[in-house]
Amino acid sequence: MKDKKQMSDNQTLKEIAETLNSENDLQVMLHEVLKKLLSLTGLHTGWIFLIDKQGKYELIADYKMPEALCVRDKQPMCEGGCWCLDRYNDGRLKRATNIIECKRIEDAIELNWGDTEGITHHATVPLRAGKEAFGLLNVASPHKVHFSDDELVLLEGVAYQIGTAIKRVTLAKKENELMLLAERNRLARDLHDSVNQLLFSLVLTARGTKEMTNEPEIKDMLSYMQQLSQDALKEMKALIWQLRPQGLENGISTALIDYAKMLGLEVHMDVNGVLNLSSHLEEALWRIAQESLNNCSKHADVKDVFITFNITNDFVVMTIQDRGHGFFYEPHKELPSLGLLSMKERAELVKGTCHIESALGKGTKVTITIPIEEGTR
Ligand SMILES: Nc1ncnc2c1ncn2[C@@H]1O[C@H](COP(=O)(O)OP(=O)(O)O)[C@@H](O)[C@H]1O
Ligand SMILES: [Mg+2]
């Protein structure tokens, strides 16, 4: 008898695994697996909550829920708290399976939402893969307040399979996003190459046409056109550099020197300590320095830029300084525009600060200080 039971449980797990493997869309997958689970176990109804790290939940799948929980487009399932979510969120769902009176059903009875179809309790199983938790699977049957050990063991097995499948699907989605990003970058680079060619022809044509006329006004207009297309070429170059941290593979200091050269600036670099930063710190510094160098090239009207890095165990400090025009900057006022603001925001994203000093006629110094935390180096 026991053997027969064991066989049918194995069969259930096998069929659940097949269902999970045949689908890549999370919502469809969870709906199908829930349906399958209920039909294989003879349980009547079930629903799945996905729960994010902040404890926000979403009803992602449900099957044959009682009328009382489906009212107003399943609103009772999409708002308010309940005991199973509370316990999940404060870590009290230690056991793999738990039988819980359903608070939503109690509310439904009290507030007269409709027929509860004899449901009062449900089994609640956290969906996990390794240490990660993704949400809850709840299953119930009319007038069922007890689940046998065998039933619970089976539910645990199924929940583990579902957790692993959720992990697989989310990883695949992330990978897809990365591939899309790479594709977008590739397209942008191709477009950049062809637009660059056109702009370059425009520069040459304007220059050539200038030689064909003696009219000073037309000459001026053509010079202006030539200058505009040259500026556009420069902007296109800057744009392509910003697409992705290209060039960072040789380290941030080399990348900055190259970027500055492209902008027509000469960098004087001074590094104290070992520049061995985590890629996300490096990318933050890279983006901030890019904007700062753009500003030197656009506003300072000097060629030389001084960049320093000081790295200690706890902090990395980067300064970017020019001795150009400078500008009137009031530290306690709101930042004037997007470029400076984005530098500050990027620094804050990695728990750092952005300090700007500038004086008219004396130049500008940007200081970025970022803590190096355990594990981010
Ligand atoms: N290195 C600099 N030298 C001179 N002026 C600067 C420098 N950096 C920023 N500024 C001034 O601060 C303003 C705001 O900079 P930013 O927010 O980057 O905007 P944008 O570069 O688009 O004008 C600039 O318009 C400029 O007047
Ligand atoms: Mg700017």
Side-chain angles (χ1 to χ4, degrees):
M1 190 63 198
K2 186 87 187 162
D3 280 357
K4 209 165 158 202
K5 170 87 186 56
Q6 187 67 46
M7 267 195 27
S8 85
D9 281 359
N10 284 347
Q11 185 63 23
T12 305
L13 287 171
K14 182 170 162 276
E15 289 193 28
I16 294 279
E18 280 167 3
T19 311
L20 288 168
N21 274 331
S22 63
E23 202 32 77
N24 273 328
D25 181 281
L26 193 60
Q27 193 152 18
V28 177
M29 177 181 93
L30 293 176
H31 178 77
E32 287 303 314
V33 80
L34 186 61
K35 209 163 93 184
K36 188 101 203 170
L37 172 67
L38 296 174
S39 90
L40 290 170
T41 55
L43 290 163
H44 178 74
T45 174
W47 55 95
I48 296 177
F49 288 123
L50 283 189
I51 307 169
D52 69 13
K53 296 214 164 64
Q54 281 74 43
K56 225 175 91 210
Y57 68 90
E58 174 196 0
L59 178 72
I60 181 109
D62 59 87
Y63 193 69
K64 287 199 182 154
M65 278 195 311
E67 185 198 12
L69 296 182
C70 292
V71 288
R72 286 172 274 117
D73 209 10
K74 298 178 191 158
Q75 206 178 342
M77 303 303 283
C78 301
E79 57 186 38
C82 63
W83 295 310
C84 57
L85 285 172
D86 285 354
R87 291 192 199 180
Y88 175 91
N89 283 331
D90 62 25
R92 271 185 296 147
L93 281 189
K94 288 253 167 20
R95 292 184 37 202
T97 38
N98 308 261
I99 312 302
I100 294 179
E101 269 178 278
C102 184
K103 176 164 182 297
R104 293 177 204 273
I105 291 278
E106 289 202 353
D107 291 347
I109 295 170
E110 196 175 313
L111 300 168
N112 228 343
W113 285 337
D115 193 354
T116 54
E117 296 168 21
I119 307 285
T120 53
H121 292 62
H122 55 68
T124 286
V125 199
L127 301 173
R128 292 206 178 97
K131 284 199 176 118
E132 257 177 294
F134 301 101
L136 285 178
L137 162 72
N138 286 345
V139 286
S141 278
H143 313 293
K144 187 172 173 71
V145 292
H146 178 76
F147 286 72
S148 72
D149 284 350
D150 283 345
E151 279 176 313
L152 295 180
V153 168
L154 179 64
L155 283 176
E156 278 168 34
V158 170
Y160 185 71
Q161 284 190 337
I162 298 178
T164 313
I166 295 177
K167 172 120 186 159
R168 173 180 62 80
V169 170
T170 30
L171 280 180
K173 199 165 147 237
K174 252 190 214 149
E175 197 166 302
N176 264 348
E177 277 164 12
L178 282 179
M179 270 168 58
L180 273 178
L181 197 68
E183 181 62 7
R184 202 197 66 184
N185 281 352
R186 195 185 63 75
L187 279 176
R189 242 175 275 283
D190 285 356
L191 181 68
H192 163 261
D193 290 346
S194 56
V195 175
N196 257 7
Q197 294 256 339
L198 291 174
L199 286 172
F200 194 61
S201 314
L202 203 59
V203 174
L204 292 183
T205 313
R207 193 189 294 163
T209 319
K210 250 190 333 195
E211 304 306 319
M212 295 163 65
T213 175
N214 291 321
E215 292 276 338
E217 264 182 29
I218 295 185
K219 263 190 190 302
D220 279 355
M221 288 300 283
L222 286 167
S223 294
Y224 184 54
M225 277 173 65
Q226 188 183 336
Q227 187 58 47
L228 280 183
S229 14
Q230 252 154 1
D231 288 349
L233 262 175
K234 213 164 151 187
E235 295 238 347
M236 282 296 283
K237 272 196 189 149
L239 194 74
I240 213 71
W241 272 81
Q242 283 171 24
L243 267 184
R244 110 187 128 110
Q246 196 193 28
L248 270 186
E249 57 275 2
N250 294 329
I252 187 168
S253 56
T254 315
L256 283 175
I257 292 170
D258 288 349
Y259 185 71
K261 204 182 276 166
M262 186 274 295
L263 292 173
L265 298 169
E266 189 175 335
V267 168
H268 304 263
M269 178 78 70
D270 185 14
V271 180
N272 294 306
V274 187
L275 257 180
N276 177 22
L277 303 165
S278 71
S279 59
H280 89 281
L281 278 198
E282 198 168 56
E283 188 177 339
L285 288 170
W286 165 239
R287 297 286 189 207
I288 294 169
Q290 271 185 319
E291 176 53 31
S292 188
L293 287 171
N294 288 346
N295 281 347
C296 295
S297 137
K298 276 201 322 206
H299 309 298
D301 201 23
V302 280
K303 242 175 100 56
D304 295 295
V305 183
F306 303 84
I307 301 184
T308 68
F309 284 97
N310 280 298
I311 308 103
T312 61
N313 272 341
D314 305 323
F315 288 98
V316 50
V317 182
M318 172 177 81
T319 68
I320 297 158
Q321 184 170 16
D322 66 69
R323 297 184 183 141
H325 285 316
F327 63 107
F328 183 62
Y329 174 67
E330 287 175 285
H332 300 299
K333 277 237 169 121
E334 256 180 44
L335 284 168
S337 53
L338 281 185
L340 297 180
L341 193 64
S342 80
M343 286 168 35
K344 183 166 168 267
E345 282 173 356
R346 278 188 199 277
E348 284 169 359
L349 265 179
V350 284
K351 301 191 184 126
T353 57
C354 167
H355 179 73
I356 299 168
E357 289 165 81
S358 190
L360 284 174
K362 293 220 171 106
T364 304
K365 183 175 180 184
V366 174
T367 306
I368 306 294
T369 307
I370 300 177
I372 299 176
E373 284 172 2
E374 198 71 38
T376 62
R377 185 178 262 282

